[in-house]
């Protein structure tokens, strides 16, 4: 079964880039076509997204990278943000203990403005990937993004709508308003946005690397801006920030090897735990609209969220029983708790609540050398803190919103601590060969969405485009959200089984993926964002012998 899709996939032989903006994908492909490899192209794509998808990603953010190198295997990099040294668990005044307002604080100081800003690590990760694994130097990788920032790009409906949603907050900061609210209004689709100050910032990064931010002139400027405006991030915070190589989280689903990222992201653990539990049910006998299938998946989601809240956090602060959580034996125990006919609640503790943002981006790159890079990146909320630092054109994150503003809990604020994430950049292999790279934005809904795409491909035999666009469901134990395509008959049946359902426009964000088959690569991106795949085929001229000519007969 395949779906009627809104977009179409592409196939190529020499390289594929999938990202949530066509300009960014084209930058990645241009780097591949010029002799760069997947690492160069992935970082070039990241910088381009920071220009054309500025509400989602930037150097002053955080994220996770999952990559594969032939003959070396899989590696993952934690480039997530952290709390500054001066941060403390009583730095905000929470409004309520009620779950609906649990993360709300007085004056929204953890959401907007300088006090919401955490210490970034994105730029450290991006420059490291190029310097250690790339074919190009950093300046070659960044140059396309400098050109786009200086010359401008056309606004899409998607970007215009998000600017309109945040117009009040963006208007509070001069640099942000100058870029994204020309003449005090949100730009319309088709308008041109230019960001010449960001072009200058990128030129500085191009020349000096990550040191420009984490040790040098840009970092000093940001420290000054923080001091003037009540922020906490200092040049010392930037200097001591690090990226970490983490052990990949590895599982197996019906003969497919799942490689994903580990803590401080919960994504890999939760994804594999979900698949392990689902392996105990005959998911392949249902179509995706069957209420029985939705019921099983939603019960599995609730179980995994119960364990996530109880066990997973920053590995520097929490002892996480990873092997137990992703074991087949534990999955069978949990599967046996599911009543096939009735919705249930599952035990978990509320002392590790988190506040993942839906405003993130994801991209994948594969090259002809066999390298695969899958990256999920964020500045947290749309436009992060809403602050673009004066004279830089660069948006600052609001990663402090990820922490529990209440003191004394597992996810409460501590200096240098990293908050829990749900990012799930994932690479799957079959018979020791690459099979699929995928990921999506979407906060706590990420790993459930990735799981559903995997089920659509492996169990429902969907093609790649149908899988990334297929309707999704989500729950963490309360409301069962279903995208609007699910029929009323399915929803009524789920209600009769004890679920509290809600029909919504979308679950999570723009998924994109690359599939490997028959010596070609297929790229796809879904309709929930501006996602676009780009491919490279052909190649260089073959060497010829003197006198060779094409025979037309």
């Amino acid at each position: 079964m395949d779906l009627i899709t809104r977009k179409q996939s592409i196939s190529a032989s020499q390289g594929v880039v999938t990202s949530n903006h066509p300009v960014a994908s084209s930058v990645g492909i241009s780097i591949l076509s010029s002799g760069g490899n997947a690492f160069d192209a992935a970082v070039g794509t990241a910088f381009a997204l920071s220009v054309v998808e500025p509400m989602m990603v930037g150097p002053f953010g955080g994220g996770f990278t999952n990559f594969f190198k032939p003959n070396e295997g899989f590696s993952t990099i934690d480039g997530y943000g952290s709390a500054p040294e001066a941060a403390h668990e009583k730095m905000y005044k929470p409004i309520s203990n009620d779950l609906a307002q649990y993360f709300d604080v007085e004056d929204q100081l953890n959401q907007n403005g300088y006090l919401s800003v955490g210490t970034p690590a994105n730029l450290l990760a991006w420059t490291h990937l190029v310097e250690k694994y790339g074919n190009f130097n950093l300046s070659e990788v960044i140059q396309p993004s400098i050109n786009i920032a200086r010359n401008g790009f056309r606004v899409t409906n998607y970007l215009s709508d998000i600017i309109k949603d945040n117009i009040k907050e963006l208007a509070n900061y001069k640099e942000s308003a100058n870029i994204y609210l020309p003449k005090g209004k949100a730009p319309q689709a088709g308008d041109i946005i230019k960001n010449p100050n960001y072009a200058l910032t990128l030129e500085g990064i191009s020349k000096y690397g990550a040191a420009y931010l984490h040790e040098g002139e840009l970092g000093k400027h940001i420290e000054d801006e923080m001091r003037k405006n009540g922020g906490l991030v200092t040049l010392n915070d930037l200097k001591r920030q690090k990226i970490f190589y983490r052990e990949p989280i590895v599982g197996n689903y019906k003969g497919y090897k799942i490689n994903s990222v580990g803590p401080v992201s919960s994504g890999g653990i939760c994804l594999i735990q979900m698949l392990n539990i689902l392996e105990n049910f005959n998911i392949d006998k249902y179509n995706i609209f069957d209420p029985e299938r939705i019921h099983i998946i939603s019960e599995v989601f609730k179980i995994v969220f119960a364990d996530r809240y109880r066990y997973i956090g920053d590995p520097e602060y929490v002892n996480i029983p990873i092997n137990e959580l992703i074991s087949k034996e534990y999955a069978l125990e949990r599967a046996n708790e599911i009543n096939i006919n009735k919705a249930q609640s599952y035990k978990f503790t509320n002392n590790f609540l988190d506040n993942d943002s839906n405003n993130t981006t994801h991209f994948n790159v594969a090259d002809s050398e066999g390298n695969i890079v899958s990256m999920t990146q964020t500045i947290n909320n749309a436009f992060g803190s809403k602050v673009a630092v004066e004279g830089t054109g660069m948006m600052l994150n609001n990663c402090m919103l990820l922490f529990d503003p209440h003191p004394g809990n597992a996810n409460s604020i501590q200096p240098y601590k990293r908050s829990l994430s749900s990012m799930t950049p994932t690479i799957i292999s079959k018979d020791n060969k690459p099979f699929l790279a995928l990921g999506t934005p979407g906060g706590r809904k990420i790993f459930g969405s990735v799981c559903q795409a995997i089920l659509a491909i492996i169990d429902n035999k969907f093609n790649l485009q149908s899988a990334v666009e297929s309707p999704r469901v989500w729950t963490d134990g309360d409301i069962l959200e279903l995208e609007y395509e699910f029929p009323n008959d399915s929803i009524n049946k789920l209600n009769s089984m004890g679920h509290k359902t809600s029909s919504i426009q979308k679950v999570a964000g723009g998924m994109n993926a690359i599939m490997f088959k028959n010596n070609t690569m297929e790229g796809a991106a879904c309709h929930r964002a501006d996602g676009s795949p780009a491919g490279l085929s052909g190649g260089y001229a073959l060497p010829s012998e003197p006198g060779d000519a094409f025979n037309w007969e």
Side-chain angles (χ1 to χ4, degrees):
M1 172 185 174
D2 288 320
L3 303 177
I4 297 173
T5 58
R6 298 161 177 83
K7 298 184 181 182
Q8 301 299 316
S9 64
I10 58 99
S11 293
S13 60
Q14 299 298 305
V16 167
V17 179
T18 62
S19 83
N20 279 337
H21 198 285
V23 170
S25 296
S26 68
V27 166
I29 280 296
S30 72
I31 291 172
L32 288 180
S33 65
S34 300
N37 64 16
F39 297 95
D40 301 309
V43 174
T45 300
F47 277 110
L49 285 167
S50 75
V51 180
V52 300
E53 203 184 27
M55 65 288 197
M56 301 296 184
V57 62
F60 214 91
F64 294 85
T65 303
N66 185 4
F67 65 89
F68 172 79
K69 283 181 65 65
N71 303 319
E72 295 184 25
F74 294 91
S75 299
T76 67
I77 295 176
D78 173 352
Y80 214 41
S82 60
E85 180 182 23
H88 56 90
E89 62 180 7
K90 295 182 180 180
M91 62 186 285
Y92 305 118
K93 294 182 180 179
I95 289 174
S96 173
N97 285 317
D98 182 76
L99 290 181
Q101 295 181 291
Y102 189 82
F103 288 91
D104 293 344
V105 304
E106 287 186 8
D107 300 319
Q108 296 185 314
L109 293 178
N110 62 346
Q111 185 169 337
N112 301 312
Y114 290 85
L115 198 61
S116 69
V117 182
T119 310
N122 262 354
L123 186 59
L124 291 171
W126 297 358
T127 55
H128 173 79
L129 288 170
V130 173
E131 291 162 359
K132 185 172 178 62
Y133 302 109
N135 292 343
F136 283 178
N137 60 48
L138 189 62
S139 62
E140 292 175 288
V141 169
I142 296 179
Q143 189 60 52
S145 299
I146 295 173
N147 297 339
I148 298 165
R150 180 165 289 129
N151 298 326
F153 66 95
R154 292 197 179 275
V155 174
T156 64
N157 281 312
Y158 183 59
L159 174 55
S160 177
D161 288 345
I162 293 177
I163 292 174
K164 290 172 185 174
D165 289 342
N166 294 276
I167 191 167
K168 180 180 177 182
E169 293 79 10
L170 289 168
N172 290 331
Y173 305 99
K174 180 180 178 182
E175 185 90 354
S176 304
N178 286 343
I179 303 165
Y180 301 111
L181 301 173
K183 299 180 182 179
K185 297 180 180 180
Q188 300 299 308
D191 290 349
I192 302 291
I193 285 181
K194 297 182 180 181
N195 193 347
N197 285 344
Y198 190 50
L200 294 174
T201 297
L202 292 176
E203 285 180 341
I205 294 171
S206 173
K207 185 175 182 179
Y208 299 110
Y212 186 56
L213 171 60
H214 287 271
E215 300 175 31
E217 180 182 339
L218 180 58
K220 292 176 184 176
H221 177 57
I222 289 171
E223 181 180 57
D224 290 342
E225 288 287 302
M226 286 283 167
R227 188 181 297 114
K228 292 175 185 175
N229 295 281
L232 299 183
V233 177
T234 65
L235 185 59
N236 186 60
D237 289 320
L238 295 168
K239 285 180 177 178
R240 79 180 306 280
Q241 184 64 295
K242 296 178 181 178
I243 59 173
F244 297 94
Y245 278 80
R246 307 286 195 188
E247 283 296 316
I249 303 298
V250 182
N252 187 287
Y253 181 69
K254 297 186 176 180
Y256 292 83
K257 186 178 180 181
I258 315 295
N259 299 271
S260 197
V261 295
V264 71
S265 178
S266 63
I269 294 173
C270 293
L271 172 64
I272 290 170
Q273 187 183 2
M274 285 177 173
L275 292 171
N276 283 345
I277 300 173
L278 288 163
E279 204 168 29
N280 293 283
F281 300 90
N282 295 321
I283 296 297
D284 55 353
K285 77 178 184 180
Y286 303 108
N287 77 53
I288 64 168
F289 298 108
D290 284 343
E292 295 81 5
R293 181 185 192 271
I294 299 167
H295 168 70
I296 293 168
I297 289 173
S298 66
E299 294 300 284
V300 171
F301 284 11
K302 288 190 281 187
I303 287 171
V304 170
F305 268 102
D307 284 346
R308 178 181 184 269
Y309 291 136
R310 173 66 180 85
Y311 294 114
I312 305 175
D314 185 338
E316 304 297 321
Y317 296 82
V318 178
N319 186 18
I320 306 167
I322 295 175
N323 291 334
E324 289 82 359
L325 287 171
I326 65 173
S327 72
K328 299 287 188 181
E329 294 78 13
Y330 182 63
L332 178 59
E333 289 180 26
R334 290 302 239 167
N336 288 335
E337 296 177 30
I338 294 174
N339 184 327
I340 203 71
N341 299 308
K342 184 179 179 182
Q344 300 181 118
S345 296
Y346 301 88
K347 291 182 180 179
F348 70 92
T349 176
N350 272 333
N351 74 345
F352 201 17
L353 292 173
D354 63 320
N355 196 28
D356 264 354
S357 169
N358 290 327
N359 298 288
T360 299
T361 199
H362 179 85
F363 47 97
N364 308 286
V365 182
D367 64 26
S368 60
E369 300 172 20
N371 300 306
I372 306 168
V373 183
S374 184
M375 300 177 69
T376 310
Q377 309 282 289
T378 193
I379 53 172
N380 201 39
N381 273 13
F383 292 103
S385 62
K386 314 304 185 294
V387 177
V389 176
E390 189 170 349
T392 72
M394 182 174 67
M395 302 304 302
L396 301 181
N397 69 66
N398 68 335
C399 288
M400 295 305 294
L401 182 61
L402 295 165
F403 289 101
D404 186 339
H406 303 257
N409 293 328
N411 196 35
S412 296
I413 300 165
Q414 293 185 46
Y416 310 127
K417 188 177 184 180
R418 298 190 178 205
S419 62
L420 186 63
S421 170
S422 299
M423 295 183 185
T424 318
T426 299
I427 304 174
I428 300 174
S429 57
K430 173 73 169 174
D431 299 328
N432 296 316
K433 296 179 181 179
F435 173 71
L436 183 68
L438 78 165
T440 187
R444 286 184 296 162
K445 303 175 184 181
I446 288 176
F447 48 81
S449 299
V450 171
C451 177
Q452 289 172 82
I454 293 171
L455 296 179
I457 290 170
I458 294 176
D459 290 301
N460 297 100
K461 308 303 179 186
F462 277 21
N463 65 36
L464 185 62
Q465 189 66 45
S466 294
V468 300
E469 291 201 19
S470 59
R472 302 172 187 162
V473 305
W474 181 81
T475 184
D476 66 352
D478 186 15
I479 303 298
L480 173 57
E481 296 180 353
L482 302 101
E483 290 187 334
Y484 63 91
E485 294 98 331
F486 287 93
N488 288 332
D489 287 349
S490 297
I491 294 172
N492 292 337
K493 176 65 174 178
L494 289 163
N495 288 331
S496 73
M497 299 170 81
H499 294 280
K500 299 176 183 178
T501 61
S502 174
S503 182
I504 64 172
Q505 184 67 24
K506 67 177 184 177
V507 168
M511 178 177 289
N512 54 78
I514 300 174
M515 182 178 283
F516 305 86
K517 56 183 180 181
N518 302 325
N519 297 316
T520 63
M521 311 167 201
E522 182 182 6
C526 85
H527 59 286
R528 299 173 183 88
D530 289 328
S532 300
L536 176 66
S537 288
Y540 298 111
L542 295 174
S544 58
E545 296 296 328
D548 276 0
F550 188 80
N551 184 357
W552 292 95
E553 295 181 359

